[in-house]
């Protein structure tokens, strides 16, 4: 069955190999689903209309594989890509699974662990580029601490910078066409993770040698876990020209990292997020970094994946409905109350402008009288979401 919400490659939906291969393990329980072969995984993603797939080095090539085994898997994966048209849109490094990273990778106190983390990333970058990835994500799940006394947090920033600088120089030296996207998370698996929010990442990027090739990969669940407004972080990244990638999913505030199906929590927030991405012409992949409930079997995983994409497309249509709604448009215009004269004063950074604004007759009591019809506006939005506004 195909309808207006049927995903197609042009929608640029992607999934990490780890998302649909998630076997349903959690800290309290064993897997509830069988393992999924990565090449089969890619084929199935293509079949349900995804544009691309993403992977950690070890999602595709198991840790410790021989060179021969690596080449065989790469060959098989490339064949599926050729047969189906699916692309590899992003690659990343697993710097969290192996016990060597128990106290961090790029920010480990042990120089040799830091060197190993950089070495592993160089190999993973080579692999990502070979598969065609144009974006390389850095999620530092183990870069943090429980015992703050043991690690100097200022030095940790320096170590993080050293690693990122090394790797941007490496990419340039190799002549790769690759951009980096840094992904923040406040905690989990570490008690506290360094560079906890997208805002922290944006500030950190400005200190790098090749900052032009580094942006962010905000994840809905991560800002939401910390009780923050995800769209505001995405908006700041867009405004800085740094939204290189985005991880979409569902998450309740204040909980562990749930990575639920996109749109399954906070429909209003997700609708405004989709509207932001669409209206601000975000052209990168829409990556669903989530997984199916533990209750699902192998088929249920694909219900989950289809659900993420369908919900996105439904919300995209609702976003258009908001922007076409005559009453909403009129309300938004009224709420803004643009005034060209004062706007030009705010923009004029000269002596004349300073003087004029100082002497301008602005009466706060009068200004405060203007009602802002947010009740009506929000109710209209609510009725669009609930599907009762024509
Ligand atoms: C891991 C994490 C995600 C990151 C992935 C990339 S791995 O699943 O929870 O948020 O995006 O390393
Ligand atoms: Mn997550
Ligand atoms: Mn993520």
């Amino acid at each position: 069955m195909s309808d207006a919400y049927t995903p197609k490659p042009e929608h640029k939906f992607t999934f990490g190999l780890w998302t649909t291969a998630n076997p349903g393990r959690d800290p309290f329980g064993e897997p509830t689903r069988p393992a999924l072969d990565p090449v089969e995984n890619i084929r199935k993603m293509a079949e349900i209309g995804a544009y691309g797939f993403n992977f950690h080095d070890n999602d595709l090539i198991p840790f410790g594989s021989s060179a021969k085994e690596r080449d065989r898997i790469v060959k098989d994966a490339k064949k599926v890509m050729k047969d189906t048209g699916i692309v590899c849109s992003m690659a990343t490094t697993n710097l969290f699974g192996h016990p060597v990273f128990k106290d961090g990778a790029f920010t480990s106190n042990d120089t040799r662990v830091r060197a190993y983390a950089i070495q592993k990333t160089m190999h993973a970058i080579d692999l990502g580029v070979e598969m065609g990835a144009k974006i390389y994500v850095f999620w530092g799940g183990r870069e943090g601490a429980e015992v703050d006394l043991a690690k100097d947090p200022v030095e940790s920033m320096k170590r993080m910078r050293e690693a990122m600088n090394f790797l941007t120089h490496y990419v340039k030296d190799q002549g790769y066409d690759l951009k980096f996207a840094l992904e923040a998370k406040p905690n989990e698996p570490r008690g506290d993770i360094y560079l906890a929010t997208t805002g922290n990442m944006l500030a950190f990027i400005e200190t790098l040698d090749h900052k032009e090739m580094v942006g962010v990969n905000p994840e809905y669940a991560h800002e939401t876990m910390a009780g923050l407004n995800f769209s505001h972080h995405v908006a700041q990244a867009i405004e800085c020209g740094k939204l290189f990638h985005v991880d979409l999913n569902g998450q309740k505030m204040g909980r562990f990292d749930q990575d639920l199906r996109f749109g399954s929590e906070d429909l209003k927030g997700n609708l405004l997020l989709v509207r932001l991405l669409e209206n601000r012409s975000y052209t990168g992949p829409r990556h669903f970094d989530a997984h199916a409930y533990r209750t699902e079997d192998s088929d249920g995983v694909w219900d989950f994946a289809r659900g993420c994409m369908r919900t996105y497309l439904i919300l995209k249509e609702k976003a258009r409905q908001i922007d076409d709604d005559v009453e909403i448009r009129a309300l938004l215009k009224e709420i803004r109350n643009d005034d060209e004269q004062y706007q030009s004063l705010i923009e004029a950074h000269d002596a004349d402008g300073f003087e004029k604004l100082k002497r301008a007759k602005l009466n706060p009591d009068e200004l405060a009288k203007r009602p802002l019809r947010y009740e009506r506006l929000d109710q209209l939005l609510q009725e669009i979401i609930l599907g009762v506004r024509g």
Side-chain angles (χ1 to χ4, degrees):
M1 183 202 71
S2 146
D3 62 13
Y5 314 116
T6 302
K8 299 192 186 85
E10 74 216 39
H11 297 129
K12 288 208 149 178
F13 294 133
T14 67
F15 292 89
L17 289 186
W18 67 92
T19 65
T20 41
N22 181 297
R25 183 187 293 110
D26 73 13
F28 302 94
E30 299 302 324
T32 60
R33 297 185 278 271
L36 175 59
D37 172 72
V39 177
E40 214 24 61
N41 195 356
I42 299 170
R43 186 188 301 283
K44 189 70 190 172
M45 285 181 196
E47 196 182 304
I48 63 166
Y51 157 80
F53 70 92
N54 311 310
F55 72 104
H56 297 92
D57 46 358
N58 305 132
D59 297 337
L60 191 64
I61 317 288
F63 200 95
S65 297
S66 66
K68 206 170 144 216
E69 184 61 1
R70 176 199 189 274
D71 293 347
R72 187 197 57 80
I73 300 171
V74 167
K75 195 166 144 248
D76 290 354
K78 281 191 173 167
K79 176 155 190 327
V80 178
M81 290 166 71
K82 194 155 172 275
D83 291 350
T84 63
I86 195 167
V87 304
C88 168
S89 47
M90 175 271 266
T92 181
T93 332
N94 186 327
L95 294 174
F96 44 87
H98 193 284
V100 68
F101 303 125
K102 64 189 176 195
D103 194 25
F106 299 149
T107 62
S108 166
N109 269 331
D110 186 331
T111 315
R112 286 172 308 165
V113 172
R114 296 203 298 280
Y116 174 66
I118 293 173
Q119 180 195 66
K120 188 174 194 284
T121 305
M122 290 163 83
H123 288 302
I125 286 176
D126 295 345
L127 175 64
V129 170
E130 189 179 346
M131 297 304 293
K134 294 276 180 283
I135 298 162
Y136 203 86
V137 161
F138 290 84
W139 173 69
R142 299 278 174 200
E143 315 292 7
E146 292 78 33
V147 182
D148 267 333
L149 180 60
K151 265 181 168 179
D152 179 341
V154 173
E155 215 180 341
S156 292
M157 293 302 100
K158 293 195 171 128
R159 289 171 178 169
M160 193 68 102
R161 182 176 308 109
E162 261 171 18
M164 297 311 303
N165 281 342
F166 182 101
L167 292 163
T168 54
H169 283 282
Y170 173 69
V171 164
K172 285 198 172 272
D173 182 68
Q174 298 295 301
Y176 291 157
D177 173 21
L178 192 68
K179 282 185 165 178
F180 290 181
L182 311 187
E183 177 177 347
K185 189 175 181 182
N187 58 275
E188 200 192 328
R190 297 316 297 262
D192 293 287
I193 297 179
Y194 299 130
L195 299 165
T197 69
T198 300
N200 292 84
M201 289 300 186
L202 289 170
F204 173 71
I205 289 167
E206 292 306 305
T207 71
L208 299 177
D209 286 355
H210 291 301
K211 59 181 178 183
E212 71 290 346
M213 63 174 277
V214 187
V216 290
N217 175 39
E219 172 171 319
Y220 180 83
H222 297 177
E223 254 80 26
T224 305
M225 284 168 72
L228 300 172
N229 183 316
F230 183 64
S231 285
H232 291 186
H233 288 76
V234 171
Q236 191 185 358
I238 290 174
E239 212 265 337
C240 299
K242 290 293 190 190
L243 188 69
F244 289 4
H245 201 261
V246 70
D247 279 3
L248 305 170
N249 51 21
Q251 174 74 32
K252 282 194 209 294
M253 272 192 186
R255 306 281 167 92
F256 65 95
D257 186 22
Q258 295 175 303
D259 289 336
L260 301 168
R261 189 180 71 257
F262 176 64
S264 57
E265 296 292 333
D266 185 18
L267 277 180
K268 198 198 285 183
N270 281 304
L271 168 55
L272 294 178
L273 171 63
V274 169
R275 179 171 177 264
L276 179 68
L277 294 174
E278 296 298 324
N279 288 4
R280 293 290 173 174
S281 307
Y282 168 71
T283 54
R286 276 84 172 144
H287 172 221
F288 299 108
D289 188 6
H291 51 76
Y293 302 128
R294 224 171 149 253
T295 48
E296 302 305 301
D297 64 6
S298 304
D299 291 338
V301 166
W302 302 106
D303 286 336
F304 146 82
R306 282 194 196 90
C308 290
M309 297 188 286
R310 278 184 77 76
T311 299
Y312 188 101
L313 292 174
I314 296 166
L315 292 178
K316 185 171 157 183
E317 184 180 278
K318 300 252 176 213
R320 217 173 304 126
Q321 197 185 339
I322 295 173
D323 294 329
D324 290 346
D325 190 299
V326 176
E327 191 177 347
I328 290 182
R329 289 163 75 112
L331 272 173
L332 287 175
K333 188 155 185 274
E334 178 192 312
I335 287 163
R336 275 185 68 107
N337 202 27
D338 286 329
D339 184 310
E340 276 177 32
Q341 217 183 323
Y342 279 102
Q343 185 58 38
S344 57
L345 276 187
I346 291 169
E347 285 171 20
H349 305 151
D350 57 20
D352 187 47
F354 298 147
E355 210 39 47
K356 276 192 181 138
L357 189 50
K358 249 187 191 166
R359 281 202 251 116
K361 296 216 174 343
L362 291 162
N363 181 336
D365 295 330
E366 280 305 312
L367 291 175
K369 279 185 194 152
R370 198 168 72 84
L372 299 167
R373 299 176 61 208
Y374 288 174
E375 285 292 356
R376 179 71 186 148
L377 181 71
D378 192 66
Q379 181 63 24
L380 293 175
L381 176 58
Q382 199 81 340
E383 294 192 10
I384 286 179
I385 293 169
L386 294 173
V388 295
R389 193 162 166 83

